[in-house]
Amino acid sequence: MSGADPTRLYRTVRLIRRFEERAIGLVRSGHIVGGIHPYLGQEGVAAGVCAALRPGDVVAGTHRGHGHVLAKGADPARMMAELCGRVTGLNRGRGGSMHAADFAVGVLGANAIVGAGGAIVTGAVWARRRRGEDLVGVSFLGDGAVNEGMLLEAFNLAALWRVPVLFVCENNGYATTMPVADAVAGSIPARAEAFGIRASTVDGQDPAAVHAGTAAALARMRSDGAPEFLEARTFRFDVHHTFEHAVRLDYRSPAEVTRGRSRDPVRIAGSRLSAAERAAVDADVEAVLETAVAQALAAAEPDPATALEYLYASGLTARTGGG
Amino acid sequence: MPRLSYRKALNRALADELARDEEVFLLGEDIRVAASAVTAGLLKRFGPERVRDTPLSEQAFTSFATGAALVGARPVVEFQIPALLFLVFEQIVNHAHKFPLMTGGQCAVPVTYLVPGSGSRTGWAGQHSDHPYSLFAHAGVTTVVPATPADAYGLLVSAIRCDDPVVVFAPAAAMELRAEVGDPVPVPLGRGRVHRTGDDVTVVAVGHLVHDALAVADELAGEVSVEVFDPRTLYPFDWDGLLGSVARTGRLVVVDDSNRSCGIAGEVIATVVEQVRLQALPRRVTRPDGAVLPFAPALDRAVQPGRELLRQAITHVSKDG
Ligand SMILES: Cc1ncc(C[n+]2csc(CCOP(=O)(O)OP(=O)(O)O)c2C)c(N)n1
Ligand SMILES: [Mg+2]
């Protein structure tokens, strides 16, 4: 098993970090409406997992999904345009932060419903393998999702029908304000083990460790077709959602936040590069995001007359709501 | 002409589509042994990969179908009980239905949800007797309720070929019907059918109630000339077909096995009166508000829209105005 290219891992975590910081700026300036669930602090998980995937593999993300979409290879400019609700966005401005999808690179979509992605990606991987295609899938999920019945049903289907899906639980310690200790009876990996699914835990703050854990799981999955579960222990550096920038919710002590932020995936990945290599990546990322923001803000907003476009793939047209 | 039962028509539609398109596969509970009979013989012919028995995990297998459809498969999901649709309403309405728009047209979700035996199944009581087609019409999910064996075949075939999710309700009260059907053919979605022409009143009847409407129309033949319009698809509704009928008759009665509030009958009446000046106030015969079907057969019948109430409504409307 070859290790991941440190430059690539650093570039991905740095891209996600700076993308989120720019996006938060655009939330503050009113260009992104509805806010976002920032991925800050968890960049190492998406970066490490996706670095172990092949282009034909598929992923399903979560409400905190920007990192998954970017790490799987979506164009940051089209992603930023999507957040800004522009016609040039990945979803032509119809999805926004919580539904960003890019089928061309195997992103079946972020999903705003906690625990919903697991069954969807299981069905997608099964259907493509039935055609003889060789692929695996990843279902990203939060620690909150492990208490959703539908996800546990999906574990059962994936295990029973031997569908190679890697369920990646990003355990950041909280579901909004609910601590894992108050929400999860038993343990998170034991949820999967109960279905005979192999489970492992990695340090989610270190993208190389996430990559190694993922690569080992994928190697087993590609050889025997069984699903796996990977718990990535991580920490959300910022708010659950940007609404919290205005409304302070009291659930994490400053000391806990300081401790959590002390293990920064960007710094950890960066420490494996020389200062010059790091500076080159940083400059490149800044240029990419500068262009992304400029293009997003320059792009057209969708015409209200097209609000119902894409509602039906069959071409059916819906009645409008007017009198 | 050969006689075809409604149940066999569904079976034949599934078999024909499985044979025609490799991407079609079936998911459901006890479908290998065909507990509902609509999948009879299919396991043997198409194998367990395409006739897949599921554990009792409705939410996951419904979204599994969504995922398969997102990458080009055409799953048909059978539900043993109409109330199971309540369990998966979120998976159908919030995911399968919303994906095409939310992704800006990047995907299609061609899944068919089949309920063989919807509505009252006399004696199965409160939790097995729902008829929630209006919920799906409200959500904008294509919804069909075939009344006859030919339409059961033709609409199920069209549902499977449709690029959007489609819910197919096969009313329990229609499942044992037989009719002479030559070579069954696909029936277009969104197109109603006039089963009986008449001049005085248009009766819109949904699913198995088409047969009650035809019987009542026959009984009243000397007094009132009744046109029976079967929408077949409730969403998208064949408004042009219905408006054409009502424009001629000027009178409207709707018989609908939904609960009264927000049932499809209310939508039919509202749409018609927005566009046609009727000669009499329209009427609807439905389940009561908030209906729960009680167990005892007489009670079960008492909350379903029946022929007597329909007769009264037609008579009333034809004398009014
Ligand atoms: C089924 C469902 N319940 C509740 C919500 C509201 N909600 C959105 S995110 C969230 C917390 C999710 O926590 P977790 O899965 O740990 O992910 P994290 O936010 O920590 O990344 C909740 C409760 C939802 N979107 N979906
Ligand atoms: Mg969490």
Side-chain angles (χ1 to χ4, degrees):
Chain A
M1 184 190 4
S2 61
D5 169 8
T7 308
R8 176 180 171 188
L9 285 180
Y10 176 69
R11 188 182 189 285
T12 308
V13 292
R14 177 80 190 182
L15 174 73
I16 300 171
R17 170 67 51 91
R18 293 294 297 138
F19 183 96
E20 293 295 66
E21 288 171 350
R22 298 295 303 251
I24 288 170
L26 292 171
V27 171
R28 291 214 164 96
S29 64
H31 291 99
I32 295 176
V33 296
I36 63 169
H37 297 85
Y39 198 62
L40 298 172
Q42 302 182 203
E43 298 92 340
V45 184
V49 168
C50 292
L53 294 175
R54 297 175 184 162
D57 295 332
V58 293
V59 308
T62 66
H63 58 286
R64 196 177 307 289
H66 303 176
H68 313 136
V69 178
L70 292 170
K72 189 65 173 58
D75 174 2
R78 293 191 60 213
M79 179 67 179
M80 197 63 91
E82 186 55 34
L83 302 191
C84 295
R86 307 300 166 123
V87 289
T88 51
L90 291 173
N91 306 31
R92 299 182 164 91
R94 270 69 178 179
S97 168
M98 283 190 281
H99 304 299
D102 189 351
F103 279 58
V105 298
V107 178
L108 301 183
N111 199 311
I113 298 303
V114 171
I120 293 173
V121 78
T122 302
V125 170
W126 177 85
R128 284 184 46 187
R129 286 175 71 90
R130 192 167 76 79
R131 285 188 208 126
E133 294 177 48
D134 177 22
L135 81 157
V136 299
V138 171
S139 166
F140 288 100
L141 51 112
D143 51 273
V146 304
N147 296 317
E148 292 287 354
M150 182 175 49
L151 182 71
L152 303 179
E153 292 181 8
F155 287 174
N156 190 48
L157 290 191
L160 207 57
W161 293 348
R162 282 189 105 66
V163 186
V165 171
L166 181 64
F167 295 95
V168 176
C169 177
E170 302 188 59
N171 180 359
N172 60 12
Y174 292 85
T176 313
T177 68
M178 168 62 83
V180 167
D182 292 352
V184 181
S187 82
I188 288 177
R191 292 280 199 282
E193 284 163 347
F195 297 94
I197 295 176
R198 292 181 295 249
S200 47
T201 296
V202 292
D203 172 8
Q205 299 313 92
D206 180 349
V210 175
H211 175 268
T214 304
L218 295 184
R220 292 186 293 266
M221 291 163 60
R222 291 194 202 276
S223 84
D224 71 5
E228 293 225 7
F229 184 93
L230 185 71
E231 179 193 22
R233 296 283 183 97
T234 185
F235 189 79
R236 156 163 68 70
F237 280 14
D238 196 20
V239 291
H240 169 68
H241 180 272
T242 47
F243 78 77
E244 250 189 274
H245 287 146
V247 184
R248 284 272 157 226
L249 301 176
D250 184 18
Y251 57 96
R252 300 196 302 190
S253 71
E256 182 185 347
V257 173
T258 306
R259 205 177 332 113
R261 294 181 66 119
S262 72
R263 298 205 62 248
D264 181 341
V266 177
R267 209 152 6 91
I268 290 171
S271 70
R272 292 170 187 144
L273 269 56
S274 71
E277 286 168 323
R278 227 170 24 238
V281 171
D282 292 357
D284 178 47
V285 165
E286 290 312 302
V288 164
L289 291 175
E290 199 54 40
T291 308
V293 172
Q295 285 181 351
L297 297 183
E301 291 178 13
D303 176 356
T306 66
L308 291 180
E309 224 171 284
Y310 314 115
L311 179 55
Y312 296 107
S314 64
L316 172 64
T317 48
R319 291 189 293 173
T320 57
Chain B
M1 228 188 275
R3 285 172 76 73
L4 182 65
S5 79
Y6 192 111
R7 205 180 285 275
K8 183 71 195 163
L10 295 174
N11 176 253
R12 208 155 137 189
L14 294 175
D16 286 357
E17 290 309 291
L18 282 162
R20 193 185 61 82
D21 183 352
E22 266 292 317
E23 289 296 344
V24 176
F25 72 96
L26 314 184
L27 281 176
E29 293 162 4
D30 309 299
I31 64 172
R32 285 186 300 208
V33 300
S36 71
V38 301
T39 52
L42 301 181
L43 173 69
K44 194 153 166 241
R45 196 164 153 207
F46 299 101
E49 274 289 288
R50 299 182 69 198
V51 181
R52 294 187 77 76
D53 254 0
T54 59
L56 310 188
S57 305
E58 293 80 11
Q59 298 185 327
F61 69 65
T62 300
S63 277
F64 179 96
T66 301
L70 286 176
V71 298
R74 292 189 174 270
V76 180
V77 188
E78 183 189 312
F79 294 95
Q80 282 187 344
I81 311 170
L84 297 181
L85 292 174
F86 299 145
L87 214 57
V88 300
F89 196 66
E90 199 272 334
Q91 285 69 28
I92 297 175
V93 170
N94 209 20
H95 300 272
H97 170 62
K98 291 183 181 174
F99 258 77
L101 184 139
M102 292 196 306
T103 61
Q106 291 183 59
C107 61
V109 188
V111 184
T112 302
Y113 312 97
L114 173 63
V115 188
S118 56
S120 169
R121 302 174 177 180
T122 313
W124 285 71
Q127 292 181 327
H128 279 71
S129 304
D130 299 284
H131 225 160
Y133 48 72
S134 295
L135 286 180
F136 290 93
H138 174 73
V141 179
T142 297
T143 304
V144 304
V145 194
T148 67
D151 284 347
Y153 176 89
L155 289 167
L156 180 52
V157 165
S158 296
I160 295 169
R161 296 182 190 178
C162 179
D163 282 339
D164 287 317
V166 181
V167 189
V168 179
F169 289 89
M175 290 285 282
E176 307 312 325
L177 291 174
R178 285 169 178 281
E180 291 188 354
V181 179
D183 227 358
V185 291
V187 170
L189 301 173
R191 191 99 41 91
R193 169 178 174 197
V194 174
H195 279 263
R196 181 189 207 280
T197 53
D199 303 321
D200 300 334
V201 181
T202 298
V203 172
V204 176
V206 177
H208 61 293
L209 297 170
V210 166
H211 306 286
D212 295 295
L214 289 170
V216 171
D218 280 346
E219 289 168 32
L220 293 175
E223 307 154 47
V224 194
S225 169
V226 175
E227 176 142 315
V228 176
F229 181 85
D230 170 7
R232 303 196 288 192
T233 304
L234 298 182
Y235 186 91
F237 199 97
D238 182 2
W239 297 119
D240 290 343
L242 175 60
L243 291 168
S245 170
V246 177
R248 277 191 303 101
T249 62
R251 290 180 161 82
L252 175 66
V253 171
V254 187
V255 57
D256 163 25
D257 198 25
S258 300
N259 294 356
R260 199 164 184 85
S261 287
C262 303
I264 194 75
E267 180 58 36
V268 169
I269 289 174
T271 300
V272 168
V273 300
E274 277 174 341
Q275 300 187 49
V276 178
R277 201 173 288 281
L278 295 173
Q279 291 166 38
L281 291 176
R283 293 232 150 190
R284 57 184 154 152
V285 180
T286 65
R287 292 187 180 192
D289 276 347
V292 176
L293 263 60
F295 166 65
L299 301 180
D300 173 316
R301 273 193 301 279
V303 288
Q304 291 184 62
R307 293 187 186 181
E308 184 48 37
L309 289 174
L310 178 58
R311 195 179 299 114
Q312 287 169 21
I314 294 170
T315 307
H316 196 279
V317 165
S318 65
K319 292 200 174 120
D320 190 17

